[in-house]
């Protein structure tokens, strides 16, 4: 073990290294009726110090974080049934004008990911669907209905970007072209 980072919260749901690896983010389930601080925490990699715990102010947990492949932004999947867009540079501001809505999370740890070229954002949905969003407009451009159970992950193949893998809560995995 090289370093230990202590958030002093209940559970860490996801982690995301920011470009250059000097900082990383964690999402937690530390949301209460009165406060949403500590939902997303930024950490300094070298010192293990918290940089910020005031990044996301809404009262939803964020089960999944993903980094844009070319731009300095990241997306957080929220249990509020939308994807929130943030700057990946301090002070990590949320883009209040752009939300990716239409899919459902409903308590599942639904993942999200950008296409390798960064033009699409894909996410599963608790109703078994997969949603494809235009990254720039935040509009749904396509949906698939591949699963009977909650679709908890949809990821692009790292070498063959026309292939997409999806999986559901029951363990079924499908590959799409």
């Amino acid at each position: 073990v090289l370093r230990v980072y202590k958030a002093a919260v209940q559970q860490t749901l996801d982690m995301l290294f920011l470009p250059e690896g000097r900082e990383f983010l964690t999402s937690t389930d530390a949301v209460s009726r009165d406060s949403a601080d500590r939902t997303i925490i930024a950490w300094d990699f070298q010192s293990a110090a918290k940089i910020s715990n005031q990044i996301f102010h809404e009262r939803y947990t964020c089960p999944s974080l993903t980094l844009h492949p070319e731009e300095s932004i990241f997306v957080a999947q929220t249990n509020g049934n939308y994807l929130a867009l943030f700057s990946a540079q301090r002070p990590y501001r949320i883009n209040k004008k752009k939300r990716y809505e239409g899919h459902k999370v409903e308590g599942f740890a639904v993942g999200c990911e950008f296409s390798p070229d960064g033009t699409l954002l894909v996410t599963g949905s608790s109703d078994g669907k997969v949603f494809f969003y235009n990254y720039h407009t935040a509009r749904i451009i396509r949906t698939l209905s591949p699963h009977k159970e909650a679709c908890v992950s949809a990821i692009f193949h790292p070498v063959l970007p026309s292939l997409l893998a999806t999986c559901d809560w029951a363990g079924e995995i499908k590959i799409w072209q």
Side-chain angles (χ1 to χ4, degrees):
V1 176
L2 298 176
R3 290 177 192 83
V4 175
Y5 306 80
K6 187 66 179 150
V9 295
Q10 295 168 343
Q11 295 176 347
T12 298
L13 303 174
D14 200 8
M15 300 184 303
L16 178 68
F17 276 103
L18 296 177
E20 301 177 17
R22 287 187 227 131
E23 297 170 3
F24 69 97
L25 304 171
T26 57
S27 64
T28 70
D29 66 352
V31 177
S32 69
R33 196 175 52 135
D34 301 326
S35 175
D37 69 334
R38 300 180 312 246
T39 302
I40 299 175
I41 301 171
W43 299 88
D44 179 85
F45 178 70
Q46 292 297 327
S47 69
K50 288 181 197 173
I51 297 168
S52 177
N53 64 357
Q54 298 289 321
I55 297 170
F56 186 56
H57 297 284
E58 298 185 29
R59 290 181 177 92
Y60 300 112
T61 58
C62 299
S64 177
L65 305 170
T66 191
L67 190 63
H68 192 278
E70 297 172 2
E71 296 181 25
S72 187
I73 63 103
F74 73 93
V75 169
Q77 175 76 268
T78 75
N79 279 332
N81 297 323
Y82 65 91
L83 294 158
L85 186 67
F86 295 85
S87 167
Q89 297 176 338
R90 292 183 198 185
Y92 316 107
R93 297 207 191 280
I94 190 170
N95 182 335
K96 293 183 181 183
K97 296 178 182 177
K98 192 182 286 187
R99 276 189 176 181
Y100 303 85
E101 299 176 301
H103 65 287
K104 298 175 184 169
V105 178
E106 296 177 342
F108 289 94
V110 175
C112 57
E113 183 179 77
F114 284 101
S115 61
D117 66 1
T119 61
L120 299 175
L121 183 58
V122 64
T123 185
S125 184
S126 64
D127 59 6
K129 294 180 183 176
V130 174
F131 287 75
F132 295 84
Y133 295 91
N134 177 304
Y135 161 63
H136 296 290
T137 66
R139 290 194 177 129
I140 298 170
I141 57 172
R142 184 166 186 187
T143 60
L144 299 174
S145 298
H147 298 283
K148 293 177 184 168
E149 300 287 329
C151 180
V152 293
S153 186
I155 60 168
F156 290 95
H157 190 280
V159 178
L160 305 169
S162 65
L163 295 183
L164 181 80
T166 63
C167 69
D168 70 13
W169 185 251
E172 184 175 67
I173 300 165
K174 295 183 178 182
I175 306 295
W176 302 80
Q177 185 163 13

